[in-house]
Amino acid sequence: MPIHTYRELKPTPEAEALYRRWLAKLNDEFTRQQSPERRSEIVRDELYQIYFGRPHGGHIKAVLNSELAMYCLSESFDPRNITLEPEYYGDVDVEQYAIRKPLIWFWQMFDRSPLGLNHWLGFRFRCMLGRHIFRHLGKHVKIFHNVEFTYGYNLTIEDSCTIHKNVLLDDRGEIILHEGTSVSDYANVYSHTHDINNQSNITNKVTELGPRARITYHATVLAGANIGEDAMLGAMGLATKPVPQETVSVGIPAKAKIRKQAGQLAAETL
């Protein structure tokens, strides 16, 4: 089979210069401004421009009942006026989440805006924010649109990882994506479990993928079911226990069926 590498695509030079200026400005502001209040104001003003195409004009006075929905939209650009699901969890580190919440809201609203499907800009925007949100974000990482995570501060993504669209990374416990790991569309990776008798009884576990692991389409990794080095979890697979290195595991629950050897599939079955 032929090997097809990714093509290098770029916007026009004028647009690229504009995108880079915007990202550099945002990165500088989020580096200097660490308080939730100031970060919320920055995010509010940027989202207002992205969605309305004009600067934020200060405090809104709702006068006409016919315009209440528009006012509700305007107020919702401010992270201080919305709540996100992880804020409700009993094990959230309130202080750590508070400084990240404006950036998480910015991430989600960027992806839902007309800018969100601009891959060239989106890759760079998410990595810029990720370095302020995650425990660690390495080099040469690609994160596609609509990727969601829980707290962010328990998430490590090492060099050369790729996370495709609509992936859930539940870092409620901790998730580590080691170097070169790839997570395909609609996959779910968890790091917490619920007691079957008492749903409020939560157990957090560290979930590690890789190095160079592949989680393929619609697959799910349960908390603590680590995926070994160079291992692969097949499409729709459900990993309930660790997947051995250099194997391909498939099914529900996933079982190792094939051993990889020197980058190829060996004839040996498991």
Side-chain angles (χ1 to χ4, degrees), residues 11 38 53 57 117 120 137 141 155-157 177 191 222 239 255:
R38 185 67 191 105
L117 291 179
W120 191 96
L137 181 69
V141 171
L155 181 57
T156 295
I157 302 175
L177 273 62
S191 65
L222 296 186
K255 296 181 180 180

Side-chain angles (χ1 to χ4, degrees), residues 6-133:
Y6 281 110
R7 298 172 60 207
E8 280 290 332
L9 300 176
K10 279 193 172 187
T12 64
E14 295 80 10
E16 180 177 346
L18 178 63
Y19 295 158
R20 290 189 184 278
R21 282 176 55 199
W22 184 54
L23 295 175
K25 184 200 81 164
L26 291 173
N27 184 63
D28 179 64
E29 289 185 327
F30 292 138
T31 300
R32 290 186 295 105
Q33 306 294 341
Q34 298 289 318
S35 74
E37 287 288 317
R38 185 67 191 105
R39 284 184 166 185
S40 292
E41 291 172 350
I42 295 168
V43 169
R44 174 202 64 195
D45 293 349
E46 296 296 325
L47 288 177
Y48 201 94
Q49 292 186 63
I50 289 173
Y51 279 84
F52 284 158
R54 62 178 187 271
H56 185 261
H59 186 68
I60 296 174
K61 293 182 179 179
V63 179
L64 300 176
N65 285 343
S66 60
E67 297 176 348
L68 288 176
M70 180 183 68
Y71 296 136
C72 287
L73 173 63
S74 298
E75 293 292 351
S76 294
F77 291 144
D78 190 331
R80 293 168 294 189
N81 294 329
I82 58 97
T83 58
L84 298 175
E85 181 182 351
E87 293 182 90
Y88 292 95
Y89 297 161
D91 61 350
V92 65
D93 185 319
V94 175
E95 185 174 323
Q96 284 209 64
Y97 192 79
I99 62 175
R100 289 166 171 80
K101 177 187 170 182
L103 311 188
I104 294 171
W105 184 237
F106 199 8
W107 178 305
Q108 294 178 353
M109 291 297 286
F110 172 89
D111 278 359
R112 288 159 175 78
S113 79
L115 300 180
L117 291 179
N118 181 341
H119 290 322
W120 191 96
L121 176 60
F123 293 152
R124 290 158 178 79
F125 176 85
R126 297 181 197 100
C127 284
M128 180 275 296
L129 281 186
R131 291 188 173 91
H132 297 282
I133 297 172

Side-chain angles (χ1 to χ4, degrees), residues 192-213:
H192 84 280
T193 62
H194 295 265
D195 182 86
I196 60 173
N197 295 311
N198 182 358
Q199 187 173 345
S200 298
N201 186 353
I202 303 295
T203 300
N204 288 328
K205 300 180 180 180
V206 178
T207 303
E208 299 189 51
L209 313 180
R212 296 174 302 282

